[in-house]
Structure formats: C-alpha cells, structure tokens
Amino acid sequence: MTTLETYPTMEDAARAMGADATFLGGGTVVMRAVNEGVATPRLIRVTDPGLAHISTVGEILRLGASVTMADVLAHRDLAFLHPVARQIGGPQVRNMATVAGNLFAEHPYGDFATALLALGAQVTVTGQGGARSVDEVLRDRDRAGLVSAVEIPRPRDVRSFGFRKVSRVKPKGVSVLCIAAYLPRESGRIRGARVAFGAMGPTPLRSSGAERALEGQMLDTATAEGAAAAATEGLSPATDQIATEWYRREVAGVHLKRLLTEMERG
Amino acid sequence: MKDMTTSGPMIEFRKDLFADERDDNLNEIGKPTRRQDILGHVTGRSPFFDDHLFDGLLHLRCTRSPHHHARIRRIDTSAADRMPGVVRVLTGKDVPTNLNTLLSLLDFGLDDEPILTDTKVAYMGEPVAAVIAETEAQARAAAAAVVVEWDVLPHVLDVEEAIKPGAPAVLDIYPNNLFVYHGKYDHQKLRFGDADRALAEADHIVEGRYQMSPIEQAPIETCGAIAAPEQNDRFVCYTSTQALFFSLGTAAKVLNIPSSRLHFIGGTVGGGFGGKVDSIHEPLAILGAMLTGRPVKYAWDRAEEMQVGAPRGAERWYVTDGVMNDGRIVARKFTGYFDAGAYTRLSSYAIIKGVGHLPGPYTIPNVSANVYCVYTNRTPATAMRGFGITGVDFAIEAHMDKVAETVGMNPIELRILNAYRDGDMKAHRREAKNCALIECAQVVAEKAGVTLSPELKAATSVTGGGGARGALPAHTATDEDGQVEGFQATSYANTSGASSAPQPSPTTSAPAPQPITSAPAPRPATPPAPPTSTPTPSPTPPAAADKKPARSGAMRFSSLSGFRRR
Amino acid sequence: MVKKPVNLTLNDSPRAAFADPGQNLLDFLRREIGDLSPKFGCGQGTCGACTVTIDGQTQLSCLVLAETVDGKEVRTASGLANGATLDPLQDAFMDHFAAQCGYCTPGMLVSARTLLDRNPRPTRDEVIEAISGNLCRCTGYEPIITAILSVAEGRARA
Ligand SMILES: Cc1cc2nc3c(=O)[nH]c(=O)nc-3n(C[C@H](O)[C@H](O)[C@H](O)COP(=O)(O)OP(=O)(O)OC[C@H]3O[C@@H](n4cnc5c(N)ncnc54)[C@H](O)[C@@H]3O)c2cc1C
Ligand code: FES
Ligand code: FES
C-alpha cells in the first residue's frame, strides 16, 4: 500500500526521505509503479510553488525541480531546448513530466537528461552546498539526493547545440537512441566538445570517441565521419524491445553523422 | 450529413464494372450512414463492461506461471489467504469443470485447457490460482503471495522443433504435439488432381518459405468481466466478449450450471479484433460471485493483455509451385504449420478455414496441402481479423511475386493470367462465382502505370472460365500419410476423468475415449516428399470423407467453415 | 487503510469523495465520483484513454494520484455536452465516423477540445501532434483528424 506525504519545502522532503520512500515529481514514471503495485510504501512530494520557476541569472538558466516539458516549451529563453522537450512523450506526458524527473527516468527514457549532459548542466541538490555536474548525478543516481533545480549554461551561440532523436513511432515513440551535441567554436575550431547519447547505456552517456574526434577540428564532412566512426566509444547499449545492442551500435555513428551534418549547415 | 464518399480521397466506386449484375437502387450500400451507437461514444456514455458500478465490488487477479513449461508440485495459498483484504483464493479444485476447449460447444476438439491448472503449466503466464480481494491492489499483492513449487520442464517454442521426435510434449493427449483431424490424421489434407506429377512436368519449380509472428490484437479496452448475484438465483455478467453466446455457453459448461441461471450483458466492446472470443474472464468472475456472494470483477491489465491475451498465432508455410514458361501455374503444394501455442482454442478451426482458402484466388489444376496444428509452449493463439487466412495469403501473394520473377512476367499480369474466373473449379470442389480479381488487378495496373498486354487487358472474370477449367480433375492422388489411431471423428470428449460431465451441450457427448497414439505420426516432410500417391477414382476431399451422417463432427464444422453450397 | 478526502471541481460542479491511498485519479473519478467517461486502457500513460484536463492542461488520469487533485479543476468528456446540446467536436466526430468502438473517444475528445481552446485554427500537423498521446486501435486516425479540422475550419454544424 502506498501512502503520500506532502511537504512544503524540499528541505523537509529531504529529511523525510528513506529507503522506503520515493520522491514524486510529475509521476509519469513513479505512478506506473504505483499502479503495478511495486512502488515503495511511501511517496514524498513538495508543494513549494517556487520549484516551478524558470529564471535567468546572467548566463545561467535555472529550472526548478517541478518545471515540466510543457513549461520549457512555453519559455522563449529556452528555445534551443524546444526540439528536445517537444520529442518527449505526447502532450499529456509533457504537461506532467519534469526536467528533474528525467534525470532519474530509466532506460530508454532520459532524452532531456541527454541534452543536459551535453550542455554541461549543473544540478542543485537539496542540503548539499554548491552544484554538482549532471555527469556526476547520472553516475550514481540512486544516491543523488533530491534535486531542487537544474542550471544550464546558456550556449553562447545556440547553433552550437544540436539534438536528434531516433524512434520507431512518430511523433511519440521512445528512443532507439538520441544524441545531443554541444560544439562551441573558437575561430571555427571546436573547443570543449560534448557529445551525449541517450538509450545507449543504463543512463545517458558521453561518447569519448566522438568528443576526441571533434575536439580542435573544423566541423566538416571529414570530421563528422571521424566522429561517426568513433561514436560508440564510451557507450554500452543494451538489447531491449525497441532495438538490439547490435543495431544500436550500427546506427549510432550514422545518426551522429547526420546530426553533425545538420549542425554544419547551421 | 456530409457525403463521406466524395469528401474522402480514398474511396472510388467503379460502377462501370459488373454494371449489369447490380441494382443501384440500394438504400444503404454506398451511402454514408451514422452508426447507431455513436452518440454514446462521443458523450462517453456507451456502457462498456467496466462502466457498471457495484457497491462492494471485489477484484480478482491471477497468480501466473513464470515458466514456459513446468510441473506443479504444490500450490500454497495460506500466506495469500491471510493478506489484507483477501476474501477468497481459488485454485483448480474450486472450478466445477476445470477442463474445456472453446470449440467443444461446436462439437469439435478435445477438452484440453484447465481454467486454473493444478498439475502443469504449458505457457508463461498460465493462471494457477485466482485471488479475490476488496481492492485491485490487494488482489495484486495477494496473488504475488501465492507460493508455487515448480519442477521446470524443457520447453519448445518453434513449430518444427515441436514435432521432432523427442520434443517436449506440450500436452500429452496429442500425438507429437499435433491436433488430430477427423479422428484420423495428424494434419488437415487437401488433395485436388496430382500435384506431384504436374510438378514433375512443369517448366519451373518455384519454392518458398514464409512465416508470420504472433500478432496481439491490442484492443484499447483490455478483456474483462464483472459478475454479480442477481435475483432468482441467477448471476448477471457484464462482459467485453465479442461472442456473447459463446461466452455464455462456456461459462455454463465450466460452472456446471444451466445457462438459464446466467444473465449475460455485452455487445459494447472496446475493440476486439478477434481477441475477445476466448471467454476467459466470465467463468472465473461468475465463480467468484457464486463463492463470495458479492460482485466480482476480473479484468486483465495491459501487461496481461499483451502477455497472456491470445494473439493471432504464428504461421510457417512452405509453398512449391510448378509453373510453365508462359506463366500458367499448373501445380501448387503447401506444407503449413499453425502455432496453436499451448492449447487449441480456435487454431484447429483456423486451419479448416485456411485450407478452404487454398490455393488462393487462382485456378490451379493440381493442388495439395498438408497443414498442421502444432502445440508449442507459447501463449495460446486465437482469432484475429482474417481468421485463418491472413498468414497464408501473405505467403501466397509473396510467392506469386517470386513466380512472376522466375518466369519474367509482370506480377500483375501473372495474377490476371491465373485468376479464378466464373465457372472455374476451386480446389475444394466448389464452383467459383462472382469473381472479380481480374478487374481489380486491371485497375491496380492502371493506377500503378503498368501496361498490360492486350489479351490481359481484355480479360474478364465472366469470360473464359468454366468448361475444362470447371471440371473436377480426372484423377486425384490421395494418400494415408500421417494417420493416427485412437481418436474418433466426433472428437468431443472428456479425457481427463474430470468429475462432472459437460452440461450445456444438449446433445449427448461421446463416451470418453482414451486418445492413445498407437502409430507415431510420421514426421511431415519439408520440402514435400516424393509422391506416394494411390490413385483413386473418386476425387472426394478429406473433409467430406467422413461417412457418418448429420451428427458427425466433420459435417458440423464444414457447415461452419462456409463450405455449404451457395 | 486511511482514506483521504478530496474536493475538486469536476466539469464546473463541486464534488467530494474519499480516495484510497495509492488510488489514481482515473479510478477515483470512475468509482468514487461516478464519472465513467475516462477509460482505462493501460495504467501506464501510453494509451491516452484516461485523458482529462487538470487546471486546463491535459493529463493522464491514470498517472495522477487522486489526492493530489484536491482543490483543482478537472474536466472530462462527460462535461463536453451541455445537456442535449453537443460540443461541435462531438457532432463532427459523429458526422465523420471518427469513433468505431468508442473506447478511445472520450480521451480523444478531451485532447481535441483542449487544442481548439488554445488554438482555434490549428494546422493538420498541429492536430496530429495534439492527439499523438491518444491511441485509437479501430477507427484509423484519418477520420479523427478530419473531424477536428472540420470544427477548426468552422465547417461543422454549430
Ligand atoms: C507514455 C510515456 C512516454 C514517455 N516518453 C518519454 C520520452 O520520449 N523521453 C523521455 O525521456 N522520457 C519519456 N517518458 C518518461 C518520463 O515521462 C520522463 O522521463 C519524465 O521526465 C520523468 O519525470 P517525472 O517528473 O514524471 O518523474 P517521476 O515519475 O515523478 O519520477 C521519476 C524518478 O525521478 C525521481 N525524481 C523525480 N523528481 C526528482 C527530484 N526533484 N529529485 C530527485 N529525484 C527525483 C523519482 O523519485 C523517480 O525515481 C515517458 C513516459 C510515459 C508514461
Ligand atoms: S489508461 Fe491512462 S494512458 Fe492508458
Ligand atoms: S474507436 Fe476503438 S480505439 Fe478508437
């Protein structure tokens, strides 16, 4: 039997958490477990309206824990993230699904988290001073604590960010894989390349091979091909109902090349 | 109301075709008409089975097998009994007639499937116990608390593996995991002319292997039923069934009560597509209501619908054609395997229907088919749209393309050349009437920009048929391959020694024969074995070979499967 | 088992009932309130048959904990008609044969109505997007899209 506990603030909620409790965000993942009778006995939620805010502090975009995909789509400053948010679930799911929850949604979910990983976003965890990188949170999700906000450094040039989702059902399917690439350029050369893949491992992962192949290069066909060839380095795809491991490995580079070609064209 | 026939881009009425065969003064055909139930649909008031509220409704959920194939050593329900909200836990011994086959109501097939098995499971997800509790969540929790001790058995999931010697026996009442047709053969036969001889004389032999996976009907409403005690010692049952009287008869048989004590309400079905004929939910919901005296709902969740909801079964077909250089197909042989899954349900009958469809809409003078209903440890299969036909039609039409390629003909031309025409003799010995494939193919060619030869462009379904094409073959090669013994043609039988005789059938059922296989069925040869035919003067088809009059099973289902004269 | 009182506004009228712990809004609306128009198809968020609006947004009632709608405004398909006067979308669905078994229809209508309230002149692609969270297994989406567009274009009977 699952009971719900409601707290006014994240701090209160954090204190109430425990092994027998799950934090309830938008509920699109948690409620399935409740319906199937496999949820933890306690659910914990927070009613603080401040968590639904999106704010801009200098070059940092700050998204509170209960900001949904629909909220992202309604916000002009987040236009570069609209192609990501728009491809998550159907309209009803987007009205419910939170950005914070996406960091914890299991494979094959986590499209938004993939974008956050590529963008080098930081996560504010309740009760822990300072922010932690998305990389770090994804590495040990079970012990990450409660996320109160996600902070995204605004790309200097929005064209340096690209996203591509591959799914069988359109417009609502889950990912065979998705790719987010952040390729800031200095005098034409890529500096600080970050390429993340979703559904290519237990959590969104960075492709060390693609990043190495892109770093310091001009974004052209040869570079794109080099990155595509090394795309699966650092990834560990699995076989599931949507695709086999083999298939995912085969097409990862193909789709990366298509994404890079699109980005090259601007 | 708008005229959908003109606003939609998709429908085009070709009234120039067969104009003299048709009155065009019909009131409904060809005109849009509003569904009579659509007001309920758009206002959300159409009463689906679950749209009936009962005070004190209980919820039933099943404990299911995690194994494909296993013997049950012990079922321990004591922990489940003590769980919060649990009112009653049912196992096989609580079910009055715990063995059934759906088609027993039509006098066809052996009772082979327990409602709640207590000896052995033959597919993953097979129910072994049913928990009735105050809430769905409590029923779910308690169903998980039923402890079953299993002896896991080897399993088989492929039709051709299942009929190999030494394969695990899915159900031990069948020889080599095969259904028995007409009490005699381990497959359904079709023999028309002498396919082997014609193959030997053909210019080309074209072989193909085709298969289709199981397909879940996936209705948006999952299958379910709610039963409640009514006045006059009756029980009302709201159900999602597509086959109300089938479900009524099945419930009466399983519960061993007269159907007059059951008040079934259905007809509002949230999508069926064939997947809602199996009458799985009604008997248990009613049994629950009988034993608890309260309303009981038994419905599948989505995961159950997908896992244990009977799909369209998998099929595998081997097709061998004999073709002349000019594209005429002179012989066609089939070996077909229907994957029934663990129990018969409707698969045996799907084959009867499928074989009646062979060799497709083509006039081929020599046709032979051996079609096997095979048991495997997969989810039992049942009906789906185009029941019995879809898989083999896919095989036939894919094969037609292969034949066209072999003889270097356009595939549309090949079809026109070989199509049935009015008056032709079909392989199941009925005259072809009202044929229209040629005209359809001609329109397709026109739309696809394919230029047809002048003869084929001029061909029609109403000319050129009959005559020699309408005659029965002078000689039909027959054989006794695949004979089994110990079964009766009227094969409805109670084989398990279950306590009570089936009730609802007003006819007397045959005394329980022991279906012992004396002769192991020979392994079906694929590709087809060389001819072992014994010429017989009479071209009588196997389906009519049963000499018993009116009451014979064969006669009953031949009328069912549409073999009657038109 | 401690039940929680839930007060909500359902299709403009105040309603109250008790929710079981862990009970989702779909089950609550159907069993405790008696609005049978939202349907169960999956309980997993994938079919959309349970679509309702909460404070004006379409949501999947099977994925909402009933007690969390306390104080909120919920709308379902049964609130579309005003007595015998149907919503133009309902008429259009009837005219265009946009419902076969009718099981997906209430959820489909809630999604369509929400779209048109926000965007009275949607493009075909916007209609497709708006109903992408609602599965229909029978009708085929074409008549549904046609029906919605006919209202958007003011072609349906008002
Ligand atoms: C039909 C359907 C389609 C979907 N399609 C997609 C898709 O295309 N792409 C995709 O990426 N996802 C998809 N999802 C998954 C899911 O909707 C999203 O991942 C969503 O972002 C999860 O957020 P939520 O707020 O609903 O999470 P919840 O269900 O509330 O929570 C999910 C997990 O995150 C944890 N959590 C939530 N918030 C916090 C927090 N602030 N701090 C710490 N932990 C937290 C929860 O405890 C839980 O473990 C789909 C889901 C459904 C039902
Ligand atoms: S029942 Fe809610 S989405 Fe299917
Ligand atoms: S009409 Fe049957 S699911 Fe849509």
Side-chain angles (χ1 to χ4, degrees):
Chain A
M1 209 56 53
T2 303
T3 56
L4 176 70
E5 299 168 23
T6 303
Y7 296 94
T9 68
M10 270 291 185
E11 287 69 26
D12 296 321
R15 275 191 293 277
M17 287 295 291
D20 62 344
T22 305
F23 186 80
L24 177 70
T28 55
V29 174
V30 172
M31 279 304 290
R32 290 162 102 161
V34 172
N35 291 342
E36 283 160 26
V38 294
T40 53
R42 296 164 63 224
L43 295 183
I44 300 226
R45 73 163 174 161
V46 173
T47 47
D48 180 358
L51 293 172
H53 286 170
I54 298 174
S55 53
T56 316
V57 187
E59 287 310 293
I60 300 290
L61 298 158
R62 188 181 160 89
L63 279 55
S66 52
V67 167
T68 63
M69 299 300 157
D71 295 336
V72 170
L73 285 167
H75 205 283
R76 241 184 292 138
D77 285 355
L78 298 174
F80 68 103
L81 284 169
H82 289 183
V84 186
R86 195 178 297 124
Q87 291 185 69
I88 290 177
Q92 304 96 318
V93 167
R94 291 195 287 275
N95 286 336
M96 307 169 76
T98 65
V99 169
N102 203 269
L103 287 167
F104 299 91
E106 277 170 15
H107 171 87
Y109 296 142
D111 299 335
F112 205 89
T114 305
L116 293 177
L117 180 60
L119 287 163
Q122 303 275 308
V123 171
T124 315
V125 178
T126 310
Q128 295 178 9
R132 293 162 61 198
S133 67
V134 166
D135 308 58
E136 211 182 315
V137 169
L138 290 176
R139 256 197 303 278
D140 193 6
R141 289 200 284 204
D142 289 348
R143 276 191 289 270
L146 295 189
V147 171
S148 53
V150 173
E151 296 180 348
I152 307 166
R154 188 205 299 271
R156 256 174 295 141
D157 177 0
V158 290
R159 284 170 306 177
S160 58
F161 176 72
F163 180 78
R164 183 181 180 86
K165 173 168 168 174
V166 183
S167 57
R168 296 189 188 278
V169 179
K170 296 187 181 64
K172 205 195 66 161
V174 295
S175 283
V176 170
L177 58 83
C178 68
I179 315 170
Y182 182 47
L183 309 174
R185 269 160 277 187
E186 281 170 20
S187 40
R189 297 204 173 264
I190 298 166
R191 297 274 175 236
R194 291 176 69 97
V195 179
F197 277 80
M200 289 292 285
T203 66
L205 293 172
R206 284 169 66 185
S207 163
S208 49
E211 289 180 358
R212 196 182 55 239
L214 290 163
E215 190 62 35
Q217 305 295 314
M218 313 284 285
L219 184 52
D220 55 21
T221 310
T223 308
E225 273 166 10
T232 54
E233 234 177 86
L235 308 180
S236 55
T239 293
D240 58 20
Q241 295 94 323
I242 299 149
T244 60
E245 175 195 345
W246 173 86
Y247 180 79
R248 286 189 158 104
R249 280 188 192 283
E250 281 302 297
V251 302
V254 175
H255 289 292
L256 177 60
K257 191 178 158 204
R258 288 183 193 165
L259 173 64
L260 295 175
T261 308
E262 268 166 40
M263 291 174 73
E264 179 196 346
R265 292 205 197 105
Chain B
M1 189 179 304
K2 267 167 235 87
D3 183 358
M4 290 186 295
T5 57
T6 55
S7 68
M10 259 128 38
I11 305 170
E12 180 185 328
F13 288 92
R14 290 294 295 258
K15 300 210 168 180
D16 53 316
L17 299 171
F18 309 111
D20 57 332
E21 293 180 20
R22 196 179 54 234
D23 276 343
D24 270 334
N25 57 0
L26 301 171
N27 290 326
E28 298 293 338
I29 309 274
K31 295 177 186 148
T33 208
R34 190 179 267 193
R35 296 181 62 93
Q36 62 178 23
D37 55 359
I38 201 162
L39 181 61
H41 291 353
V42 302
T43 50
R45 292 185 186 283
S46 294
F48 297 93
F49 88 90
D50 195 26
D51 294 338
H52 301 275
L53 296 176
F54 288 90
D55 195 26
L57 181 71
L58 298 174
H59 297 261
L60 183 152
R61 286 191 57 86
C62 287
T63 303
R64 300 184 177 281
S65 166
H67 304 293
H68 293 298
H69 197 192
R71 211 165 281 291
I72 296 170
R73 231 185 296 144
R74 203 167 71 93
I75 302 176
D76 182 355
T77 62
S78 53
D81 273 321
R82 291 190 303 268
M83 296 279 285
V86 171
V87 177
R88 177 96 195 215
V89 182
L90 309 176
T91 57
K93 63 181 185 319
D94 298 304
V95 184
T97 304
N98 194 23
L99 202 66
N100 183 42
T101 193
L102 276 180
L103 291 174
S104 63
L105 297 177
L106 308 173
D107 211 7
F108 183 31
L110 300 170
D111 282 339
D112 62 7
E113 182 169 3
I115 314 308
L116 292 172
T117 183
D118 43 17
T119 50
K120 195 184 103 159
V121 289
Y123 68 98
M124 189 181 279
E126 185 167 353
V128 296
V131 174
I132 303 171
E134 298 284 346
T135 70
E136 215 227 276
Q138 288 168 332
R140 196 179 275 278
V146 172
V147 179
V148 185
E149 285 174 28
W150 306 99
D151 280 328
V152 178
L153 299 170
H155 62 262
V156 58
L157 302 175
D158 179 87
V159 281
E160 288 181 87
E161 294 298 320
I163 58 175
K164 281 185 179 156
V170 176
L171 300 172
D172 47 21
I173 57 171
Y174 297 112
N176 292 3
N177 291 326
L178 289 164
F179 184 81
V180 175
Y181 280 92
H182 317 292
K184 233 175 163 175
Y185 302 111
D186 65 7
H187 60 280
Q188 172 67 37
K189 290 178 191 287
L190 172 69
R191 297 290 184 271
F192 183 74
D194 189 339
D196 287 314
R197 199 174 60 199
L199 279 173
E201 291 165 5
D203 294 335
H204 306 272
I205 303 291
V206 183
E207 290 178 306
R209 175 185 188 271
Y210 306 91
Q211 66 179 11
M212 190 180 72
S213 298
I215 299 172
E216 162 62 31
Q217 298 85 355
I220 304 294
E221 174 203 55
T222 61
C223 298
I226 300 177
E230 228 183 19
Q231 69 276 32
N232 301 338
D233 203 21
R234 291 183 4 135
F235 294 88
V236 66
C237 180
Y238 292 92
T239 156
S240 69
T241 186
Q242 275 179 267
L244 197 79
F245 289 90
F246 216 62
S247 300
L248 174 70
T250 300
K253 174 182 169 186
V254 167
L255 301 170
N256 197 12
I257 60 172
S259 59
S260 56
R261 286 186 58 202
L262 298 173
H263 176 192
F264 268 54
I265 299 173
T268 307
V269 180
F273 318 111
K276 286 179 177 162
V277 299
D278 283 8
S279 310
I280 300 294
H281 297 82
E282 299 84 352
L284 279 182
I286 299 165
L287 181 62
M290 289 170 118
L291 296 177
T292 63
R294 288 174 62 179
V296 172
K297 171 177 161 184
Y298 174 29
W300 281 333
D301 61 24
R302 178 54 54 185
E304 287 174 308
E305 182 75 40
M306 302 306 281
Q307 170 77 41
V308 302
R312 183 206 294 287
E315 293 175 32
R316 185 173 300 153
W317 288 91
Y318 292 87
V319 186
T320 307
D321 278 9
V323 193
M324 306 312 283
N325 286 326
D326 62 4
R328 275 177 304 123
I329 302 169
V330 294
R332 179 167 281 179
K333 278 187 81 162
F334 295 90
T335 303
Y337 302 96
F338 267 65
D339 189 344
Y343 299 103
T344 305
R345 305 270 176 104
L346 299 177
S347 296
S348 53
Y349 172 48
I351 287 169
I352 298 284
K353 193 156 168 267
V355 170
H357 180 68
L358 304 181
Y362 304 107
T363 298
I364 300 176
N366 301 283
V367 181
S368 156
N370 287 359
V371 187
Y372 299 83
C373 176
V374 186
Y375 298 95
T376 65
N377 295 110
R378 295 172 86 176
T379 306
T382 190
M384 192 171 169
R385 312 175 80 169
F387 180 54
I389 304 296
T390 311
V392 72
D393 248 347
F394 158 70
I396 289 170
E397 295 308 328
H399 200 68
M400 288 299 284
D401 290 348
K402 199 168 179 179
V403 169
E405 205 172 292
T406 307
V407 297
M409 249 177 119
N410 180 284
I412 304 180
E413 291 197 321
L414 180 84
R415 285 174 171 83
I416 297 177
L417 179 69
N418 288 285
Y420 279 154
R421 298 175 185 221
D422 287 357
D424 285 358
M425 181 53 62
K426 301 197 248 183
H428 57 274
R429 293 167 174 78
R430 289 287 176 271
E431 188 189 317
K433 291 175 184 169
N434 302 328
C435 302
L437 176 60
I438 292 177
E439 287 73 13
C440 287
Q442 287 163 338
V443 174
V444 168
E446 183 190 310
K447 302 264 174 206
V450 172
T451 313
L452 299 173
S453 72
E455 312 88 85
L456 295 178
K457 199 165 179 194
T460 78
S461 292
V462 294
T463 56
R469 295 165 60 111
L472 287 169
H475 155 71
T476 286
T478 60
D479 58 78
E480 294 295 317
D481 291 352
Q483 266 205 317
V484 289
E485 280 166 33
F487 292 84
Q488 291 196 351
T490 46
S491 51
Y492 177 31
N494 205 350
T495 56
S496 73
S499 52
S500 48
Q503 288 297 307
S505 170
T507 61
T508 41
S509 51
Q514 285 303 95
I516 296 156
T517 326
S518 60
R523 175 147 156 51
T526 26
T532 52
S533 51
T534 342
T536 30
S538 150
T540 314
D546 199 306
K547 272 163 223 72
K548 283 186 211 82
R551 277 293 303 123
S552 90
M555 290 301 285
R556 295 280 306 269
F557 66 69
S558 53
S559 66
L560 269 174
S561 53
F563 288 175
R564 66 193 173 279
R565 277 174 204 282
R566 284 187 284 174
Chain C
M1 198 159 70
V2 185
K3 293 186 183 247
K4 294 258 182 77
V6 179
N7 288 278
L8 72 160
T9 307
L10 177 65
N11 300 323
D12 296 322
S13 62
R15 306 296 290 267
F18 287 93
D20 281 338
Q23 187 172 31
N24 64 41
L25 178 61
L26 173 63
D27 203 51
F28 176 79
L29 287 174
R30 291 175 55 83
R31 288 194 198 292
E32 320 300 338
I33 299 280
D35 182 347
L36 297 167
S37 67
K39 305 292 177 200
F40 169 89
C42 67
Q44 305 178 334
T46 46
C47 76
C50 66
T51 302
V52 302
T53 65
I54 301 176
D55 291 346
Q57 278 191 328
T58 55
Q59 299 209 7
L60 300 162
S61 60
C62 72
L63 296 185
V64 173
L65 215 45
E67 52 193 282
T68 65
V69 301
D70 188 48
K72 297 197 175 172
E73 191 177 310
V74 176
R75 289 183 174 278
T76 64
S78 57
L80 284 173
N82 184 359
T85 310
L86 300 184
D87 185 296
L89 271 169
Q90 292 174 309
D91 275 318
F93 268 53
M94 293 202 286
D95 284 350
H96 292 276
F97 210 121
Q100 188 169 316
C101 80
Y103 202 76
C104 68
T105 312
M108 199 67 87
L109 283 166
V110 170
S111 287
R113 177 36 63 211
T114 309
L115 166 73
L116 295 185
D117 285 349
R118 218 181 44 232
N119 177 3
R121 293 278 179 276
T123 63
R124 190 185 152 83
D125 282 347
E126 286 168 337
V127 170
I128 292 172
E129 178 60 52
I131 60 166
S132 64
N134 296 79
L135 300 185
C136 174
R137 183 71 166 140
C138 318
T139 312
Y141 297 103
E142 218 38 64
I144 298 172
I145 295 165
T146 309
I148 298 170
L149 280 173
S150 79
V151 176
E153 290 156 11
R155 283 205 271 106
R157 295 178 308 183

